[in-house]
Each structure stands twice: as structure tokens, then as C-alpha cells.
Amino acid sequence: MTINLLGTSFTIQSDEDPAYLREILSYLEAKISEVTTGVKTTDPLKISILASLLLADELHKLKNSQEMLKQQAQSSLSSQEYEREVDEITKRLIRTIDECLS
């Protein structure tokens, strides 16, 4: 697949589906466009570094969100386990009281 970005053209080889690669390339082009409209530089290296920073920031935030969701799920699971434990103890106490009263 041939890629043309910021005045540079090169060919890459990948096992990925070409449609997926075009989607990724389109996303990168959008980030580059976002950078070029927000800065005055036309230096391709600086633009690509800024676009990389935007993408790294996005990835980092997604990873943090995923980790928070994972922790919330674990916390929720722990409270469910706690409730099951309390339920089992309560049932045992009721059985013991019933046996003593019989």
C-alpha cells in the first residue's frame, strides 16, 4: 500500500486488511489536518510530531478510562461477593437459632 503524507510518499507492507489500513490512514490524515489548522508551522516533521502527541494523548486517555472501568467492575464484583458471604452467614445463623429453639 502506498501512503502519501505531508509531501512524503512511501510503500508499506502489512498483513492487515487494506480497508482497515485506509481507515487508519484517514484517521491519521484527520489528526494531521487538525494540527495544521491549529498551528502556523508548515514543517512536516513538527506537524507529524504534534499529530503523534495528539494520538498518544488520545490513546493514553482511552487506556486510563479502560483501567478505571476495569477497577469499577472488580469493585462491583467484590461487593457482590461480599453480599453473597453475608447472605451465607445469615442463613447459617438462622439455621443455628432454629436448631437451638427446637
Side-chain angles (χ1 to χ4, degrees):
M1 172 180 221
T2 301
I3 296 176
N4 296 303
L5 285 173
L6 298 168
T8 301
S9 179
F10 52 95
T11 302
I12 63 167
Q13 291 182 338
S14 175
D15 293 335
E16 294 290 344
D17 179 27
Y20 173 74
L21 291 174
R22 283 191 293 277
E23 183 181 335
I24 295 299
L25 182 58
S26 175
Y27 191 75
L28 178 57
E29 288 170 338
K31 288 297 173 188
I32 289 171
S33 177
E34 187 178 329
V35 168
T36 56
T37 58
V39 296
K40 294 179 183 176
T41 187
T42 57
D43 181 350
L45 178 60
K46 289 179 182 177
I47 291 170
S48 60
I49 290 170
L50 290 170
S52 297
L53 285 171
L54 279 177
L55 292 168
D57 174 56
E58 209 172 274
L59 176 62
H60 189 68
K61 286 177 180 173
L62 284 171
K63 282 184 171 185
N64 284 343
S65 295
Q66 183 181 28
E67 186 59 35
M68 283 178 27
L69 287 172
K70 184 179 175 183
Q71 288 174 355
Q72 286 174 351
Q74 287 173 343
S75 172
S76 174
L77 182 63
S78 294
S79 75
Q80 289 173 353
E81 289 172 349
Y82 177 76
E83 287 177 26
R84 274 189 242 131
E85 180 77 18
V86 168
D87 191 47
E88 284 300 314
I89 292 170
T90 304
K91 287 177 183 175
R92 275 187 269 145
L93 285 170
I94 290 170
R95 275 194 305 260
T96 304
I97 292 169
D98 284 344
E99 288 171 4
C100 287
L101 291 174
S102 297

